[in-house]
Structure formats: structure tokens, C-alpha cells
């Protein structure tokens, strides 16, 4: 009977030779190249094995300050091996130890492990999910269950979340006892050396299935782009956004780790590959990266950034940098290609471009279009939110400034809540945001939800709100219900006012994922029975010119 083992398997991309699967330091003929050996019984198979690293521990320096005569031969080291097996016109790579350090990630299929997992694990037998929510601030989370559980128990936002890693118990126990994966696949199964090629054939057949669309259809809301010419065009749009930032302009381009990482805020980061050696940073930031590009007078193109620029990070107790990503893999960016009905929307995350599925995009756009649009404020010459609030306070007696005025909900000792930025004579709670600032527009949506919920459900909050409004003068408190009175919900309104620069055709819009996050907030506000509307407020372009793209 075959023994149960846990294997780590990748799939070499079509058109890539085995020799191209290694990073430059470990490629055949390089100084640190692994030893190539035969694999008996499988034609075309190759085994590469060797020492991946061997370093003096980072903590030795600290210990030597109090004990200078430590043993000399103390090392941290890691060995590794990779077995390449031909399988149905493809090549599987079975990885052992620390060999992933020696491999070139672009040589292997993206989402291979994730797709095998979702094709073999039913939604009721999930054990772990890693999710990412691309937005102006990208959130990543890992949810783990103590036993097999249904998808709905993992708190997935099917509108916004990207599935990054999944793990669970396959329905076919003969296939595996447990699988988990992202790009690589971890599979616990019964296998021996003489059956490993057959097991890889089973895995490849599972990868080619599309049964995941029955229970995990939301995963295809965004599909990875494979066309090289399209990726080149998208990369040029990314590079233009980066150049705009370098010139002092605005962009929604930002950076996030491409995976859930172990380093903590305050640990050191280095941006490498363009002369920025030894400059310490303590958080991942597009502003820091752009500043380093300018300081080092980088004059290259997007291909140089994509291939050569890297980020290293290390823990506070380490002397060596233990994490490493390409800068390109840390970019988060939205852009569009085409016009009118031919327009397609794309997002870059974790080094892959994703095409937003048309039906999904159409649903989001239709929902946004159905939200009533209002014109309370109108176009402004104010350059940012602070200037706009000051201008409205000075010129609009029909609006009561509530910015930086806080009310505490019942039972919350230190939970001061900013109700809105302005309260109007026609009983609108107006929330304002500069849509080209560094903060995410989704914060605005959340503020409106929290304020609306407190207003309709918390009598103590309404009492505090009425007192606060009375103290500000102008008689606006008469427009608010007393704490003992029932709230006539449809006589009030929530207004989201977002400052945006006009596009080239003079129109105004929001980034696609801001519309996605708005949908969840709007549905929540609808449950409170308070009408919602939105106003896009035209603001001056920073350089006096309209923006070129119709959706950022």
C-alpha cells in the first residue's frame, strides 16, 4: 500500500524549457546551479538537487557581544530539489525543501494550485481561504476553519474579493486527503516514487476541468489576462501612471504585498535594482518608491521595472532580508482599454492582470447608474476637500458644517462618530471626499453606513445629535427628530459627494472598484429606509488639463 505524503507541485508554462525554470543565480551553468541527475523509469524526467543557501545566523552578532567565543561552525541552511516530469505534453515540477527560492515564478502557471483545489473540493468542505480586496487600500485576509466548512461561513464578499489561496478536503478521497494551493499545489495523497507521474497526470486532468464554476462562479468575476500583446499595452498604461506620479500628478496606483506576509510594520524594506542600495524604509509605499526612482534618476522603461526592480524585507531580529518580491508584483492598478461597448476594464494585482468579466462589470455599472444623482454643490474651483469645506461654510447658509463635530452613540464610551460633513435645510446628511486624495473612497461609503445606522436605531445618538446641532446655531435642530419621536426615514437623505477631475470628454466618473464597494454600502443603507444619492463634484485638474482615461 502506498504511503501518504504531502507534495508541492507546480506546472511549467507551455513554451518554457526546464532550463528556463530557474532564476539566474541557479540556472544551469551559473555559480549556484543545482546538480542535474536522472530519474529512473520516466523518459524525459530530470531531477535537480543541491544546497539552496547556507548562512551565518543573524542572531550570532548579538550573542557575540556577550559571548565572543561561540562555536565557529554555526549555520542556517536549506537544501532543495525539484523533479520535472513529462505529463500529457506538459511538464509538472515536484518541489522539495527550499527549492522555491531557486525557481523563476514566471516560468510556472499562475493559479494552478487554486484551480486544482476549487475543481476538487466542494464548497461545503473548505478549510482555509486567503482573500484580497483590491481598492485604493488593498486588504488581504486569511480565514481558517477548525473543520471542513461551507463557503458562506468564510465571509466572502463575492462582489469584491479575489480568491488567492484555497484549501480543503476533496470529494474524491482516492485523489487526495487534502489539497491547498495558489500558484503551487500542496497535495496530501497516497503516492510512491513509481506512481508519482501517474499522480501528476491526475492533477493535470483536474486542473483542466471547469467544474469550479458551479460552486465558485464568483472567482471568474476577474479572469487572468494571458495575451502578451494586451499585457504589454496594460503595462504601458501602468508606466504612464507611474510617470504621472513622478511628475507630481495624481493617480490611483498604489502598492500592496502580493501575499499575506510575516513581516510587521516597522521592519526594514529596501527597493533594489536601480541604484537604491541601503536606503531603509519601514512600510511598503508607492510614495517612497517614486521618491527613490526620482532620487536615483531612473530613466528606464516598464520592462526594466518589471524584470529588475525588487523589494526586500527583514524581521527586526534578522540581519538578512528574508522576504523578496518584484516591485511589479506589488503594484495595484485599474485601467481601461477601448471605448464604448468595446471598453474592457482591467486590474493589476500580485503581478497578474485581470480582466473584469463583462457581465459582472455590467451589473456593477447598472447598479451605479440606478443610484439617483444630485446637484447640491456643483462644480468647484477648490483643489481639495479642505478648501471645499471652508468654501461651503462661508457661502452656503443652507448647509450646516458638521465636519469634525462628533456625537457618541449609546453605550460607547469613546466611540465619537462624525455624523456627516454638512447637514442641509432639506434634511440631507452630506458626506464629502476628495476622490483623488491618497485615502480610499470606500472610507466615505463606510462613514455613510455607520452614520445612517446610528441615526435610525439609536435614540441616545439622536438626542446627542440634536444637542450638537443646536449648539452650532442656525436652527437646524428643528429639522431633526427628538429622541422620543419616530424617525420618518424617507424624509431624510444620505448624499455622497465625491470630488473628481473631469475626463477628457468633460464627464465625471469613479474608479470601477469604488463602484463595487459602493454597491455593498448602498444596499445596506437601503435596508435603513433612507434614500441615497450621489454627487460627483468637478474639481480643477492639477495641471489645468483634463485626464485622458475614461476610467482609472
Amino acid at each position: 500500500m502506498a504511503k501518504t505524503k504531502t507534495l508541492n507541485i507546480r506546472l511549467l508554462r507551455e513554451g518554457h524549457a526546464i532550463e528556463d525554470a530557474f532564476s539566474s543565480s541557479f540556472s544551469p551553468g551559473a555559480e549556484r546551479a543545482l546538480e542535474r541527475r536522472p530519474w529512473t523509469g520516466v523518459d524525459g524526467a530530470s531531477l535537480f538537487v543541491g544546497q539552496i543557501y547556507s548562512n551565518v545566523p543573524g542572531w550570532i552578532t548579538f550573542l557575540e557581544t556577550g559571548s565572543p567565543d561561540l562555536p565557529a561552525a554555526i549555520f542556517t541552511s536549506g537544501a532543495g530539489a525539484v523533479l520535472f516530469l513529462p505529463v500529457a505534453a506538459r511538464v509538472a515540477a515536484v518541489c522539495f525543501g527550499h527549492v522555491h527560492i531557486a525557481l523563476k515564478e514566471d516560468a510556472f502557471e499562475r493559479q494552478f494550485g487554486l484551480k486544482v483545489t476549487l475543481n476538487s473540493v466542494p464548497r461545503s468542505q473548505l478549510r482555509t481561504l486567503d482573500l484580497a480586496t483590491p481598492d485604493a487600500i488593498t486588504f488581504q485576509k486569511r480565514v481558517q476553519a477548525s473543520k471542513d466548512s461551507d463557503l458562506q461561513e468564510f465571509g466572502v464578499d463575492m462582489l469584491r474579493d479575489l480568491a488567492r489561496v484555497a484549501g480543503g478536503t476533496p470529494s474524491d478521497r482516492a485523489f487526495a486527503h487534502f489539497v491547498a494551493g495558489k500558484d503551487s499545489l500542496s497535495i496530501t495523497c497516497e503516492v510512491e516514487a513509481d506512481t508519482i507521474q501517474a499522480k501528476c497526470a491526475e492533477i493535470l486532468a483536474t486542473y483542466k476541468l471547469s467544474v469550479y464554476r458551479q460552486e465558485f462562479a464568483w472567482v471568474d468575476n476577474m479572469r487572468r489576462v494571458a495575451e502578451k500583446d494586451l499585457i504589454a499595452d496594460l503595462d504601458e498604461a501602468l508606466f504612464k501612471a507611474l510617470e504621472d506620479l513622478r511628475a507630481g500628478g495624481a493617480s490611483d496606483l498604489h502598492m500592496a504585498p502580493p501575499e499575506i506576509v510575516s513581516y510587521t510594520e516597522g521592519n526594514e524594506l529596501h527597493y533594489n535594482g536601480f541604484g537604491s542600495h541601503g536606503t531603509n524604509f519601514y512600510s511598503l509605499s508607492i510614495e517612497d518608491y517614486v521618491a527613490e526612482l526620482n532620487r536615483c534618476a531612473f530613466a528606464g522603461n516598464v520592462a526594466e521595472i518589471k524584470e529588475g526592480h525588487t523589494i526586500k524585507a527583514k524581521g527586526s531580529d534578522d540581519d538578512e532580508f528574508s522576504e523578496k518580491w518584484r516591485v511589479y508584483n506589488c503594484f495595484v492598478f485599474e485601467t481601461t482599454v477601448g471605448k464604448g461597448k468595446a471598453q474592457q476594464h482591467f486590474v493589476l494585482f500580485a503581478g497578474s492582470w485581470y480582466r473584469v468579466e463583462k457581465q459582472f462589470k455590467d451589473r456593477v455599472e447598472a447598479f451605479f447608474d440606478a443610484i439617483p444623482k444630485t446637484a447640491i454643490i456643483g462644480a468647484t474651483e477648490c483643489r481639495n476637500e479642505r478648501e471645499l469645506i471652508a468654501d461651503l461654510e462661508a457661502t452656503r447658509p443652507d448647509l450646516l458644517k458638521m465636519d469634525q463635530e462628533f456625537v457618541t452613540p449609546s453605550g460607547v464610551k469613546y466611540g465619537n462618530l462624525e455624523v456627516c460633513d454638512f447637514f442641509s435645510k432639506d434634511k440631507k446628511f452630506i458626506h464629502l471626499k476628495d476622490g483623488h486624495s491618497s485615502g480610499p473612497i470606500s472610507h466615505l461609503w463606510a462613514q455613510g453606513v455607520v452614520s445612517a445606522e446610528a441615526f435610525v436605531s439609536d435614540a441616545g445618538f439622536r438626542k446627542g445629535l440634536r444637542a450638537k446641532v443646536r449648539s452650532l446655531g442656525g436652527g437646524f435642530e428643528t429639522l431633526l427628530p427628538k429622541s422620543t419621536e419616530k424617525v420618518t426615514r424617507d424624509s431624510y437623505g444620505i448624499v455622497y459627494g465625491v470630488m473628481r477631475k473631469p475626463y477628457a470628454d468633460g464627464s465625471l466618473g469613479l474608479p470601477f472598484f469604488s463602484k463595487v464597494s459602493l454597491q455593498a454600502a448602498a444596499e445596506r443603507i437601503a435596508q435603513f429606509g433612507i434614500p441615497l444619492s450621489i454627487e460627483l463634484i468637478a474639481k480643477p485638474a492639477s495641471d489645468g488639463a483634463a485626464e485622458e482615461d475614461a476610467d482609472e
Side-chain angles (χ1 to χ4, degrees), residues 228-514:
K228 292 183 179 180
D229 55 345
L230 176 55
I231 290 173
D233 291 341
L234 295 171
D235 283 346
E236 287 301 323
L238 165 71
F239 189 68
K240 181 183 181 301
L242 186 61
E243 290 295 285
D244 288 345
L245 286 174
R246 293 185 66 182
S251 173
D252 291 323
L253 169 64
H254 66 286
M255 300 180 81
E259 57 193 345
I260 296 175
V261 296
S262 58
Y263 80 88
T264 57
E265 197 78 5
N267 291 349
E268 292 180 16
L269 298 172
H270 285 179
Y271 298 97
N272 295 336
F274 53 97
S276 178
H277 298 296
T279 304
N280 293 333
F281 298 93
Y282 298 92
S283 62
L284 194 61
S285 162
I286 190 66
E287 290 80 13
D288 289 341
Y289 174 63
V290 165
E292 282 297 280
L293 291 178
N294 288 343
R295 183 181 71 83
C296 298
F298 174 71
N301 56 27
V302 68
E304 292 178 51
I305 292 174
K306 193 170 185 177
E307 295 299 323
H309 292 199
T310 60
I311 296 168
K312 291 185 178 181
K314 70 174 183 177
S316 57
D317 295 329
D318 299 328
D319 285 340
E320 299 292 330
F321 286 82
S322 58
E323 302 280 359
K324 180 178 180 180
W325 315 288
R326 292 185 180 185
V327 164
Y328 182 84
N329 291 357
C330 297
F331 287 138
V332 182
F333 182 60
E334 295 180 38
T335 192
T336 57
V337 171
K339 300 291 183 181
K341 292 183 178 181
Q343 187 180 80
Q344 297 181 83
H345 196 85
F346 300 87
V347 60
L348 174 65
F349 179 73
S352 291
W353 281 103
Y354 294 88
R355 178 188 281 106
V356 178
E357 195 269 333
K358 186 178 186 303
Q359 291 183 346
F360 170 57
K361 186 175 191 297
D362 289 346
R363 289 197 303 270
V364 172
E365 296 290 357
F367 188 95
F368 177 75
D369 291 343
I371 297 175
K373 308 304 185 290
T374 190
I376 296 174
I377 295 170
T380 179
E381 292 301 313
C382 298
R383 294 169 295 177
N384 54 54
E385 181 183 340
R386 290 287 96 207
E387 289 185 8
L388 178 62
I389 288 175
D391 180 66
L392 293 175
E393 183 182 19
T395 61
R396 294 289 296 271
D398 59 321
L399 303 178
L400 177 68
K401 176 179 172 292
M402 296 287 291
D403 175 60
Q404 301 297 308
E405 301 290 346
F406 300 96
V407 178
T408 301
S410 297
V412 182
K413 189 173 182 180
Y414 300 109
N416 285 346
L417 172 65
E418 185 180 88
V419 182
C420 58
D421 291 298
F422 286 91
F423 181 59
S424 70
K425 286 288 188 182
D426 57 354
K427 303 201 290 189
K428 299 291 193 298
F429 295 96
I430 303 171
H431 302 269
L432 297 175
K433 181 72 176 178
D434 185 344
H436 282 284
S437 70
S438 59
I441 300 174
S442 57
H443 282 182
L444 180 70
W445 313 149
Q447 183 188 45
V449 171
V450 172
S451 174
E453 183 172 20
F455 180 66
V456 301
S457 63
D458 186 346
F461 176 83
R462 291 196 297 274
K463 181 178 180 180
L465 172 61
R466 188 177 169 92
K468 171 64 69 174
V469 169
R470 183 185 299 110
S471 71
L472 297 174
F476 284 81
E477 72 276 5
T478 61
L479 304 173
L480 295 167
K482 297 178 181 179
S483 60
T484 56
E485 294 177 340
K486 182 179 179 180
V487 180
T488 307
R489 302 184 184 192
D490 59 2
S491 68
Y492 292 89
I494 305 293
V495 177
Y496 288 131
V498 185
M499 301 174 72
R500 295 288 290 176
K501 300 172 187 176
Y503 299 131
D505 61 1
S507 65
L508 295 171
L510 290 177
F512 176 73
F513 278 96
S514 293

Side-chain angles (χ1 to χ4, degrees), residues 50 98 126 162 189 193 230 282 293 304 376 433 439 528 535-536:
H98 296 271
L126 289 170
L162 272 175
C189 59
L230 176 55
Y282 298 92
L293 291 178
E304 292 178 51
I376 296 174
K433 181 72 176 178
F528 303 145
E535 179 175 6
L536 299 180

Side-chain angles (χ1 to χ4, degrees), residues 107-128:
F108 298 92
E109 291 286 0
R110 297 289 181 91
Q111 296 186 308
F112 167 69
L114 177 64
K115 193 171 178 182
V116 171
T117 299
L118 297 183
N119 275 330
S120 60
V121 176
R123 61 170 289 160
S124 60
Q125 293 176 196
L126 289 170
R127 189 68 65 90
T128 183

